[in-house]
Amino acid sequence: MKTRVDRACLVVLLLVGASTGFWAFVAPESWHASFPGFGLDWLPRLGPYNEHLARDTGAMFLALATLSGAALRRVDDVVLTRAAGAAWLVFNALHFGFHSTMLHMYGLLDQVLSMGSLGLVTGLALVLVLPGRASGQGASR
């Protein structure tokens, strides 16, 4: 059961990392102007456009996507799966913490969507880090 849950978490994290990373790296100005999409624009309120920062952010998300893909390919490798979860957890816990101090810049809908999406990604990473329930043989995943 833990392997199936981990696989699902890794798929979502891979998609988040790849889509955000590709957009930020390939079209950094568009990403800054209109992230997260769907008619919302969260980034311009946090500061002026910076191509270097946007592309670095994209590269970081692509690196996390790559790690997630490697862990997904070898989901039974507990060390690799937990390492992927730990990398996402460190990034997203800090990311969540920062954005929680910036909520005053947004309306209620944007606050809920921002904290909800960051909370979801942080929660998925936490699931990967936590061990599974002990199996009948006494081992945990």
Side-chain angles (χ1 to χ4, degrees):
M1 179 65 167
K2 173 74 167 134
T3 301
R4 282 183 285 200
V5 171
D6 285 352
R7 187 174 286 117
C9 291
L10 286 164
V11 166
V12 173
L13 293 172
L14 172 62
L15 292 173
V16 167
S19 61
T20 304
F22 183 79
W23 184 12
F25 191 81
V26 173
E29 196 166 1
S30 166
W31 174 77
H32 182 268
S34 55
F35 180 84
F38 312 104
L40 303 172
D41 58 348
W42 295 346
L43 299 179
R45 297 175 206 184
L46 297 173
Y49 170 69
N50 179 314
E51 181 179 1
H52 176 213
L53 181 60
R55 287 187 189 267
D56 281 358
T57 299
M60 182 273 312
F61 270 105
L62 289 171
L64 286 170
T66 301
L67 179 57
S68 300
L72 182 60
R73 198 168 152 89
R74 297 185 49 166
V75 72
D76 289 323
D77 183 336
V78 177
V79 173
L80 181 57
T81 301
R82 286 187 180 161
W88 275 100
L89 185 59
V90 167
F91 168 68
N92 275 293
L94 296 171
H95 192 194
F96 185 94
F98 170 77
H99 282 285
S100 70
T101 69
M102 296 293 135
L103 292 176
H104 63 281
M105 302 175 100
Y106 300 101
L108 181 60
L109 176 62
D110 290 322
Q111 290 175 358
V112 170
L113 292 174
S114 175
M115 292 294 96
S117 60
L118 289 170
L120 173 66
V121 173
T122 303
L124 294 173
L126 184 60
V127 167
L128 293 172
V129 171
L130 295 175
R133 289 182 22 207
S135 71
Q137 299 168 339
S140 68
R141 211 179 101 55

